Amino acid sequence: MPTIVLKIDVDTYRGTREGVPSLVRILKQHQANATFLFSLGKDHTGWALRRAFRPGFFKKVSRTSVLEHYGFKTLTYGVFLPAPDIGKECVEEMRAAKRAGFECGIHCWDHVVWQDNVRRRGEAWTQRQMQAAYDRYIEIFGAPPKTFGAAGWQMNRHAFAQLDQFGIRYTSDTRALLNEDGSLENPAAGPYRLSDGDEVFEAVQMPTTLPTLDELLGVEINGSVITEANIAAHILSLTAEQKNHVFTMHAELEGQKLAPILIELLNGWSEQGYQFISMGQYYAQLKEQELPVHPISWRELPGRSGELLAFDAKPIR
């Protein structure tokens, strides 16, 4: 059967407290496996207001109703309200996801700080951020993490090296390049290993191969605006031809107001013949394979502001 890896990025306190339990219920009802990736430090979502100066930021905000999905309180954390410590205040929600049988891993320590800074930061800063998340994860779950997925698809070479030092063997930090309609620019895009010059990193990269909901909502495609009413049908059209995919969702979106869209997608993908798996289950299929090696590459994606780590179509070996 073709598979869809369901990868869930959990960015915020509210997403952890409310979105994660909701997603656990929905996924269990649909017998769907998935991987939850947690932000483990403080929620400084309010600091993201600095992104207002980036090209394309206001266009995305107007399309995706950030205030509606994240809530006014979340958008003031770190600015007008103290930043709640997710890894201290939401321990039970995280452990409950693990008890329910879902794989859990690291998203970041502080999603805003990481996303806005990591690309230009050095080794010491990167190690401090990652070690804080690693130590907090062990404190919560009692064992080292097996997987990781970068906040905002932002990393640097020191971060990739640190993943290898932690012994993390599979991760999802990159994006497959997409056309304006959300279809794959390179249909062969899939798991690979990253290189930086002569250094090849050990962790297997599982690039996200489908657009996220916030990248599609409000966009005009083939003469029609993508809305909450038709977005599931559009994504299902992208998966009509079977291949293995990685789909990234957000606890703040699919775990809350956009949960009906997730349910529609799960039902549709089941009818298309897909099996829903975790990153760990995908890695079990891949670990003995000789995977291509691609260099670190940055590109822009439709529907998202700024550059992301991207799957380069030309392998170096």
Side-chain angles (χ1 to χ4, degrees):
M1 294 179 67
T3 60
I4 295 181
V5 174
L6 298 178
K7 165 182 166 280
I8 302 162
D9 291 350
V10 188
D11 290 338
T12 66
Y13 171 79
R14 183 185 178 192
T16 314
R17 179 60 58 86
E18 301 176 16
V20 169
S22 172
L23 285 169
V24 167
R25 289 192 296 270
I26 292 169
L27 294 169
K28 294 294 283 186
Q29 289 168 0
H30 288 80
Q31 299 180 317
N33 215 329
T35 298
F36 285 85
L37 300 173
F38 291 110
S39 302
L40 296 162
K42 291 188 175 183
D43 180 356
H44 287 111
T45 299
W47 291 357
L49 294 174
R50 292 172 297 192
R51 296 176 191 163
F53 297 102
R54 292 183 183 176
F57 177 82
F58 282 114
K59 185 176 180 181
K60 181 191 172 186
V61 167
S62 65
R63 286 193 297 101
T64 55
S65 304
V66 169
L67 179 60
E68 182 180 1
H69 293 302
Y70 287 81
F72 177 78
K73 193 172 183 179
T74 297
L75 296 176
T76 64
Y77 285 149
V79 180
F80 301 113
L81 291 177
D85 192 327
I86 302 169
K88 286 186 176 180
E89 300 184 37
C90 300
V91 171
E92 178 52 33
E93 287 81 4
M94 295 183 192
R95 289 176 177 166
K98 185 78 169 179
R99 288 196 302 269
F102 294 101
E103 178 179 49
C104 297
I106 294 175
H107 190 39
C108 60
W109 177 246
D110 182 315
H111 81 283
V112 173
V113 170
W114 182 269
Q115 192 169 332
D116 289 352
N117 291 280
V118 65
R119 185 174 179 180
R120 63 179 184 274
R121 292 290 187 144
E123 183 176 10
W125 182 94
T126 302
Q127 288 181 341
R128 285 195 301 271
Q129 288 279 318
M130 297 184 75
Q131 192 67 53
Y134 185 85
D135 293 343
R136 177 65 65 80
Y137 183 96
I138 294 175
E139 181 183 325
I140 293 170
F141 293 104
K146 294 183 178 180
T147 191
F148 179 95
W153 298 278
Q154 302 291 315
M155 292 281 275
N156 62 36
R157 68 172 309 279
H158 309 297
F160 291 122
Q162 188 63 52
L163 291 178
D164 285 354
Q165 290 182 34
F166 284 154
I168 288 176
R169 292 290 171 258
Y170 55 97
T171 182
S172 184
D173 307 313
T174 66
R175 297 291 301 265
L177 297 175
L178 303 177
N179 298 309
E180 291 292 332
D181 66 354
S183 61
L184 281 167
E185 189 175 295
N186 175 11
Y192 67 106
R193 285 189 167 86
L194 267 174
S195 68
D196 179 52
D198 294 331
E199 182 177 11
V200 178
F201 300 107
E202 286 296 321
V204 172
Q205 284 290 335
M206 302 173 179
T208 294
T209 56
L210 291 167
T212 62
L213 297 190
D214 58 326
E215 291 165 358
L216 289 177
L217 283 170
V219 174
E220 183 175 328
I221 297 175
N222 298 326
S224 299
V225 175
I226 300 297
T227 67
E228 292 181 21
N230 62 19
I231 189 170
H234 180 74
I235 294 175
L236 290 169
S237 74
L238 303 177
T239 57
E241 185 174 339
Q242 292 182 343
K243 77 175 292 308
N244 293 336
H245 281 287
V246 176
F247 178 64
T248 295
M249 64 180 85
H250 293 84
E252 294 76 16
L253 301 179
E254 288 91 340
Q256 297 187 82
K257 186 175 183 291
L258 301 186
I261 297 171
L262 173 61
I263 293 170
E264 190 175 350
L265 284 171
L266 293 174
N267 289 333
W269 280 329
S270 293
E271 292 174 2
Q272 288 179 339
Y274 285 95
Q275 181 181 11
F276 308 116
I277 63 174
S278 68
M279 291 170 64
Q281 290 172 308
Y282 198 27
Y283 177 69
Q285 301 173 16
L286 301 170
K287 62 183 179 179
E288 303 301 329
Q289 296 181 21
E290 187 72 25
L291 297 175
V293 176
H294 295 257
I296 295 174
S297 178
W298 295 86
R299 294 279 295 276
E300 292 188 5
L301 259 72
R304 192 165 291 277
S305 61
E307 290 186 327
L308 314 177
L309 282 160
F311 175 96
D312 192 300
K314 304 177 185 64
I316 61 172
R317 72 183 197 197

